[in-house]
Amino acid sequence: MRNLLSIADLTNDEIDEIFDLADGADKLRTDKSAADQIMATLFYEPSTRTRLSFESSMHRLGGAVISCSDMKASSAVKGESLADTARVVSSYADVMVVRHYWDGAVQAMAEHANVPVVNAGDGSREHPTQTLCDLYTLKKEKGELRGLTVVVCGDLKNGRTVHSLVFALARFGAHVVTLAANGMELPHYVLERLEREYGYSLAPVASDDLSGVVTETDALYLTPKQPHQLALFTQVDAAMQSRLNTMVSGLRYDAFYMTRKQKERMKEGTTGGTYPTIGPSFLKEHRFKDTVVMHPLPRVDELSPEVDKDRRGIYFKQAANGVPVRMALLKFLLNRRETKRIAGKRTASFYESPERLGPKCTNPNCVTVTEPASTRRRFELLSGGPGGALLLGCIYCNHRFKVQFVGHVKSKRYCAYDIALADTIRGWLKKDELAIFDSIKEAEELGYEPYKSGPQRTVMDEQEIQAAVREMSRQILRECQDPDRLLILGIRTKGSYLAQRIAGELAAQRRQKPEAGEIELYGAGDEMRRIFPDDEDAPALNLKDREIILVDDVIYTGRTVKSALSILFRSGRPQSVRLAVLIDRGHREVPVKPDYVGKHIPSSEKERVRVKLREAEHDEKDKVVIYSMISPAETQAETIA
Ligand code: CP
């Protein structure tokens, strides 16, 4: 049985097959291709196009439609679970089409249904059938998808249509330019997947290339060609900065894909700010003369009705194509009811905790959080996160987060995850002996005890740390062009504490405290937030033309810094970014060089370097320690003996 929950559920050949079927929609209609079949539509969120075009498609295929006219009038309001609803409705219908406001809710229902389930939009995650309509329309207009450059514009954070679309464009070899409204950039998990699965890298686009579309933020170019790597750029390296700015200038834009602000997914009070718009000035720009304008609709005021009359406005064609494309999709799925195979990426093996307690998704809108009873806690396990981190990818909502603690099921020992354990962990995973915990409390509640480590050697004491922070602050002040433009940004958690100390030193040296903030990689909330001033009414951090000092406690592989830079890049265009670290361990996988270093401590992968700060440790003084890990396997042997 085949479901369509993500665009990843279809191969490129299958998408082409669906488009061929859509071309012959008249024949599907004459043949009554779905006679005697019933489709159930369950829309927990409002819809005009998706619902009506699915229902129209089923009628045209000769089938019948059953539906809850309003899910608020269904037993969902009595508290019926998604799992039970799916079980029951799938005994009344041959295919189910579901829209839901929770990320991953449709996947949860598909796991309990015994008929094909189609995702008609789940939370801010994906809307794969909209993407089929978009690709079909774009292909009709431009002939080929490979090599096209498509600008996706507006609310890229919450717009699920955009998430499915960028994955599909990447798979068909198109280039993507993101032009996000301020604070509504593509989520990190989407960019991470584009990089990991399709080799897409990210670079800035020259800012005057996109005049004609009003926006506060800069555009970013996503391409498989890797014209240049994301780099740390400094005012000292002005040539590099200018090369980055000009390298992707002069692009030919084939399509603008505009989206509305998804107010229904935003917290109250966060819906303000300027938003890109397309209107008459866009139409007059010579460089956009062959650029088609697309929109999944409904539109609000980001797309002027002036564009409706222009041959380049093709969004009503997109909506009209909803019927032949969805007729084709229904025919495709109903033909494959007995097929077991699931396309491409989704055959990967998943991690499921062998213990009663285990990791939880950090996305508060994920169905595993909102309705855990209808789900199973399964994750993709991904190596190579920032600083060599091990990442978990929730299979329902695709959000990624860092593994905190790992345990060995047989010896009942646990420790904080570290890159030094990568090989050991792979072995445990193969034998189904890997436990992952979000906290020490969880591990200890299950009777796990901590692993032993080797003896610790102090390599920096309290005075040395204080002197290093002071010296780095002096250098920062000496080298900055305009102290009023300084922004000290720490990488959470220890980088944030050090950033605050540096900001404090700078305040002492020039009697004015610079603005300070923090970046959180793979956290549950905002990726970037202000620390100082901590005034609730202060506007969001603005990176434009700022001299940013990025601060972390330790640099090793350089991947943590790369991830932080990627967040900076898509949040604004600073004048310069310089890096300050307390410890440089000396090994690097990514070409990043810190500008300010407290101490160089060359160390191997088998060693751990830990910065202990009183803000985090409470009962301890500041110090930096180095120690070797005792292999968990050795500890296990000892435990068994
Ligand atoms: N494009 C789209 O999904 O429209 P509806 O919300 O009206 O279904």
Side-chain angles (χ1 to χ4, degrees), residues 43 46-51 99 120 127 130 160-161 296-298 326:
F43 277 63
S47 165
T48 299
R49 273 147 295 274
T50 313
R51 181 179 187 146
R99 171 173 288 188
H127 190 349
Q130 178 64 47
R160 56 195 172 201
T161 59
L297 302 178
R326 289 182 171 112

Side-chain angles (χ1 to χ4, degrees), residues 52-240:
L52 293 185
S53 65
F54 258 116
E55 294 186 354
S56 167
S57 298
M58 195 59 177
H59 285 301
R60 288 186 178 176
L61 291 169
V65 178
I66 56 172
S67 186
C68 278
S69 56
D70 177 0
M71 288 310 287
K72 290 199 188 81
S74 78
S75 287
V77 289
K78 300 177 204 160
E80 185 162 35
S81 69
L82 292 173
D84 285 356
T85 307
R87 269 188 213 111
V88 171
V89 176
S90 68
S91 66
Y92 301 156
D94 301 286
V95 59
M96 283 166 58
V97 178
V98 184
R99 171 173 288 188
H100 203 285
Y101 39 81
W102 291 334
D103 304 336
V106 187
Q107 156 121 12
M109 292 184 84
E111 286 171 3
H112 299 276
N114 49 32
V115 297
V117 176
V118 178
N119 180 5
D122 62 329
S124 56
R125 198 184 74 99
E126 283 209 44
H127 190 349
T129 70
Q130 178 64 47
T131 293
L132 291 177
C133 302
D134 300 338
L135 296 182
Y136 183 74
T137 311
L138 191 57
K139 210 170 164 193
K140 287 253 169 280
E141 289 296 316
K142 297 286 177 186
E144 234 347 285
L145 297 171
R146 179 164 299 282
L148 293 183
T149 298
V150 179
V151 186
V152 291
C153 211
D155 183 355
L156 312 184
K157 181 178 175 187
N158 303 296
R160 56 195 172 201
T161 59
V162 168
H163 301 163
S164 298
L165 181 65
V166 294
F167 294 135
L169 288 171
R171 279 182 27 198
F172 280 97
H175 311 282
V176 178
V177 171
T178 68
L179 191 60
N182 222 341
M184 299 178 201
E185 293 82 15
L186 271 185
H188 195 243
Y189 73 87
V190 173
L191 287 170
E192 209 258 354
R193 194 168 139 195
L194 282 171
E195 184 182 337
R196 192 181 285 270
E197 292 181 14
Y198 309 109
Y200 270 58
S201 67
L202 175 133
V205 173
S207 49
D208 58 353
D209 259 25
L210 285 161
S211 60
V213 181
V214 181
T215 181
E216 286 283 293
T217 24
D218 293 307
L220 291 172
Y221 184 49
L222 281 159
T223 172
K225 286 190 179 160
Q226 304 216 335
H228 36 71
Q229 294 292 320
L230 188 65
L232 191 71
F233 56 93
T234 72
Q235 70 218 36
V236 189
D237 198 356
M240 167 66 105

Side-chain angles (χ1 to χ4, degrees), residues 267-449:
K267 281 187 224 135
E268 243 175 80
T270 61
T271 59
T274 54
Y275 199 83
T277 56
I278 289 189
S281 65
F282 173 91
L283 298 173
K284 285 183 207 130
E285 289 269 347
H286 182 71
R287 77 185 91 179
F288 300 139
K289 70 178 180 18
D290 295 319
T291 308
V292 294
V293 178
M294 305 178 76
H295 196 305
L297 302 178
R299 70 174 145 188
V300 186
D301 45 18
E302 65 285 346
L303 178 56
S304 157
E306 295 264 340
V307 188
D308 300 1
K309 295 169 249 158
D310 192 282
R311 65 177 166 81
R312 288 166 289 177
I314 60 167
Y315 29 91
F316 289 114
K317 282 188 197 169
Q318 272 169 272
N321 283 335
V323 174
V325 169
R326 289 182 171 112
M327 283 170 77
L329 175 70
L330 287 170
K331 166 81 179 157
F332 175 91
L333 291 175
L334 291 169
N335 278 357
R336 280 165 180 75
R337 255 175 306 184
E338 307 311 321
T339 313
K340 285 222 160 33
R341 190 180 63 80
I342 296 175
K345 307 283 178 197
R346 300 173 70 81
T347 50
S349 61
F350 299 120
Y351 172 76
E352 189 160 9
S353 178
E355 294 289 9
R356 174 173 57 81
L357 301 175
K360 288 171 279 309
C361 181
T362 55
N363 167 15
N365 196 47
C366 177
V367 65
T368 59
V369 176
T370 52
E371 196 178 295
S374 292
T375 64
R376 284 165 61 190
R377 283 181 293 139
R378 277 173 303 155
F379 303 91
E380 275 182 276
L381 208 50
L382 308 157
S383 55
L390 189 65
L391 302 180
L392 287 174
C394 173
I395 64 146
Y396 292 90
C397 73
N398 305 133
H399 280 241
R400 272 105 157 96
F401 51 98
K402 273 164 83 168
V403 168
Q404 303 294 343
F405 298 94
V406 288
H408 183 238
V409 173
K410 278 196 174 161
S411 61
K412 290 266 178 194
R413 297 276 187 171
Y414 77 89
C415 60
Y417 179 77
D418 189 276
I419 192 170
L421 299 171
D423 288 341
T424 311
I425 298 294
R426 260 192 292 278
W428 293 352
L429 183 66
K430 265 195 206 136
K431 292 191 222 149
D432 210 15
E433 292 172 1
L434 173 65
I436 295 177
F437 303 112
D438 289 335
S439 63
I440 292 176
K441 187 169 173 284
E442 239 175 42
E444 296 194 341
E445 216 174 301
L446 291 168
Y448 280 67
E449 286 178 21

